[in-house]
Amino acid sequence: MQNTAMVAKRNLDCFLYGLSGERLPADNHYDNLKEARKWGFKIPDYFVRCTTLDEVYAYIRLWDQKRKELDFNIDGIVIKVDNLSIQSKLGFTAKSPRWAIAYKFPAEQAETQLISVDFQVGRTGTVTPVANLQPVLLGGTTVKRASLHNSDQIRILDIHQHDWVIIEKGGEIIPKIVGVNVQKRHPMTLPVEFATHCPECGTLLQKDEGEARHYCPNIRNCPPQIKGRITHFVSRKAMDIEGLGEETIELLYQKNLIRDVADLYQLRKEDLVDLERQGEKSVENLLSALEASKNVPYERVLFGLGIRHVGETVAKKLVKAFPKLEDLIHAGKDQLISVDEVGDKIADSILAYFSDPEHLELVKRLQKSGLKFETKTKVLSPDSQPLTGYTFVISGTFESVSRQELKELIESLGASAASSVTSRTNYVLAGKNMGPGKRKKAESLGIPIISLEEFYQMF
Ligand SMILES: [Zn+2]
């Protein structure tokens, strides 16, 4: 939250769940936590040391019951390897430690009555059924809506109007309906039918063979699809244009000022000041945010176009393989599927997108506005490989960069990245939670341990 006064009202507290650092008081997690408590830190009362898996299971069973008595919600239990030297041997994957794992309790369920079903249209035209429910308490919040996913799900559940349904909260934001209490069903009710026409533009819905989703084929003129594409384009992971929330997009759409993302770059100051609730200052901010977005790298522009199945990661891989948009437009299917993570489905989607003359026109207009549609490929000469001959060992984790990316960087600079510290190691590049074994070895061999900042300064 940006409003600190609001944050202050929340009575936040801080509990320590681990000690991290050099020269820790003990060689195990459990004793370190106890020590930290002696120092005055708040440590949860609930951690125990188990010596067998049976004890771990017993503890899980215990809390699956007792968690209902807690005055806060928990969704599981974390099990950690206690011995720190074993922890360091196990190390980390790109995302998480190998010495800790979360056991998740089964999701809580509740029963309530179905009021009605809405059909929502997303930016790609996919129509999603959403159930309106009699409000019910589930996992500490009141639930009024739940997802029904698609027509297959409705058919499998055989859900009827005004049925009593069982809902469950998974990892998603909105809960889902997982079952129907048929015994409570009124004998006269009819099954829920999937919409036949788009609720937004009235177009007959389509469904492809072998696919569960219904979609509105009216890509050009279906309002939520138009607005959805623009919202996606300006979102943080794409063009990151601040000041263009959904409400502003709605206003601009209603005033006929935008019909596609290229229109954004044609907006003039006088168009915007006329809009309701737009002060001069915020108009200027928006225009400068649009201007600044012209420097957004090509991979994010490509992601922002919203080509079906082309997410952030795929966009990155495509840009690596085709550093210029022209190359991607002219790529054949074989070339496309030779790209890492690109299969039939994605390749077909890309081919379909660029075979549409309107899309080519859109891209041309964006190019004219100055958006980036290519990336400079780095041609490395010996001069640009200042670390040739050096050997680095990476240890620990880094906030801004993955270990794999660091490894690639080191190699692109001419150095090599080794996995263990030996007398041939020149530097150990250390992040958070550096392995104590590596540290000891480096120290005993007198090998400098450097931070990421120090590494960047080297070249
Ligand atoms: Zn529609």
Side-chain angles (χ1 to χ4, degrees):
M1 298 191 94
Q2 293 190 349
N3 184 347
T4 49
M6 283 290 282
V7 176
K9 277 188 197 156
R10 298 287 167 100
N11 286 321
L12 293 177
D13 213 333
C14 175
F15 286 82
L16 213 82
Y17 65 88
L19 271 195
S20 161
E22 297 163 40
R23 297 191 304 272
L24 295 176
D27 62 1
N28 67 80
H29 177 70
Y30 184 83
D31 289 334
N32 279 330
L33 276 184
K34 290 198 122 173
E35 196 61 25
R37 179 183 282 151
K38 275 191 213 155
W39 298 340
F41 287 106
K42 289 193 178 181
I43 312 290
D45 293 325
Y46 312 103
F47 70 103
V48 293
R49 176 146 58 190
C50 298
T51 49
T52 65
L53 266 184
D54 284 340
E55 284 177 45
V56 172
Y57 290 129
Y59 194 70
I60 288 171
R61 279 195 300 275
L62 173 75
W63 280 104
D64 196 9
Q65 290 308 312
K66 264 180 76 172
R67 68 189 164 118
K68 284 148 199 152
E69 298 160 20
L70 293 170
D71 55 6
F72 48 85
N73 292 314
I74 62 169
D75 66 349
I77 292 204
V78 177
I79 300 132
K80 291 178 180 174
V81 170
D82 196 33
N83 184 310
L84 295 189
S85 72
I86 298 178
Q87 277 192 9
S88 97
K89 267 185 201 159
L90 287 164
F92 289 78
T93 68
K95 282 189 178 148
S96 54
R98 289 198 191 88
W99 42 265
I101 192 165
Y103 175 90
K104 297 279 181 183
F105 292 123
E108 261 187 85
Q109 294 189 334
E111 193 177 297
T112 185
Q113 197 174 14
L114 176 69
I115 300 171
S116 61
V117 177
D118 287 341
F119 293 90
Q120 289 180 346
V121 187
R123 80 174 158 86
T124 56
T126 303
V127 177
T128 311
V130 178
N132 296 302
L133 306 165
Q134 211 61 257
V136 63
L137 208 61
L138 175 65
T141 52
T142 304
V143 173
K144 295 177 199 156
R145 285 159 77 74
S147 172
L148 276 163
H149 295 296
N150 54 42
S151 58
D152 285 358
Q153 187 66 10
I154 290 178
R155 191 174 40 78
I156 292 164
L157 289 167
D158 184 31
I159 186 166
H160 284 48
Q161 282 161 28
H162 308 298
D163 260 352
W164 285 84
V165 294
I166 293 123
I167 57 168
E168 188 178 289
K169 232 180 202 170
E172 304 85 17
I173 298 160
I174 92 165
K176 55 186 175 192
I177 294 182
V178 294
V180 173
N181 185 346
V182 188
Q183 280 157 0
K184 285 197 189 171
R185 176 178 293 162
H186 194 280
M188 298 301 282
T189 59
L190 296 167
V192 169
E193 299 281 357
F194 205 91
T196 53
H197 292 76
C198 175
E200 302 279 347
C201 73
T203 306
L204 188 68
L205 298 182
Q206 290 185 7
K207 185 172 182 284
D208 292 333
E209 187 92 28
E211 282 208 37
R213 73 164 201 143
H214 281 73
Y215 63 95
C216 167
N218 185 15
I219 300 167
R220 305 268 173 267
N221 298 307
C222 184
Q225 297 192 52
I226 296 170
K227 287 180 273 183
R229 281 194 294 271
I230 297 168
T231 307
H232 170 75
F233 183 77
V234 304
S235 65
R236 255 186 54 195
K237 287 181 173 176
M239 303 305 284
D240 193 17
I241 300 170
E242 240 179 274
L244 250 188
E246 278 182 45
E247 279 175 40
T248 310
I249 290 173
E250 178 69 47
L251 273 176
L252 292 168
Y253 176 82
Q254 277 171 12
K255 299 261 173 193
N256 255 320
L257 288 167
I258 47 171
R259 279 295 171 273
D260 60 40
V261 296
D263 290 340
L264 290 172
Y265 295 94
Q266 307 304 319
L267 289 172
R268 293 162 310 167
K269 196 173 170 185
E270 49 269 39
D271 298 330
L272 293 163
V273 272
D274 286 349
L275 292 176
E276 304 149 55
R277 290 176 299 154
Q278 295 287 325
E280 188 129 347
K281 184 100 204 298
S282 61
V283 167
E284 271 164 23
N285 286 346
L286 175 54
L287 288 172
S288 60
L290 280 163
E291 197 54 38
S293 76
K294 293 176 184 172
N295 290 319
V296 163
Y298 168 36
E299 58 191 41
R300 278 167 51 196
V301 180
L302 182 63
F303 168 63
L305 289 179
I307 303 170
R308 229 181 135 214
H309 305 308
V310 177
E312 253 185 300
T313 313
V314 171
K316 270 186 201 161
K317 306 256 168 177
L318 286 170
V319 165
K320 233 181 190 175
F322 308 100
K324 276 193 183 131
L325 179 78
E326 272 65 36
D327 304 335
L328 180 63
I329 291 175
H330 297 118
K333 186 157 178 180
D334 289 347
Q335 275 173 289
L336 288 171
I337 47 180
S338 70
V339 177
D340 188 23
E341 294 207 23
V342 175
D344 266 342
K345 202 164 78 172
I346 298 176
D348 286 341
S349 171
I350 295 166
L351 289 170
Y353 186 89
F354 289 116
S355 66
D356 184 334
E358 286 200 37
H359 287 150
L360 296 176
E361 185 58 38
L362 178 78
V363 167
K364 215 177 263 170
R365 284 167 60 212
L366 288 172
Q367 266 171 325
K368 237 185 211 160
S369 296
L371 271 67
K372 285 204 162 45
F373 279 100
E374 61 176 88
T375 168
K376 297 271 173 293
T377 36
K378 284 172 250 163
V379 182
L380 291 170
S381 67
D383 292 350
S384 66
Q385 297 198 313
L387 302 180
T388 302
Y390 283 86
T391 300
F392 287 80
V393 170
I394 309 169
S395 181
T397 54
F398 303 84
E399 252 168 48
S400 54
V401 61
S402 77
R403 284 164 67 140
Q404 184 56 33
E405 283 166 336
L406 261 186
K407 189 166 176 269
E408 282 168 17
L409 176 62
I410 285 170
E411 285 165 358
S412 76
L413 292 163
S416 56
S419 56
S420 55
V421 180
T422 70
S423 58
R424 285 187 301 277
T425 309
N426 297 101
Y427 293 97
V428 175
L429 179 50
K432 253 197 218 159
N433 295 317
M434 175 191 184
K438 283 203 177 103
R439 177 175 293 279
K440 236 185 202 166
K441 190 84 186 276
E443 278 168 357
S444 72
L445 292 168
I447 295 161
I449 298 170
I450 58 168
S451 68
L452 192 58
E453 287 68 37
E454 288 170 305
F455 170 68
Y456 285 149
Q457 274 160 19
M458 292 178 85
F459 57 91

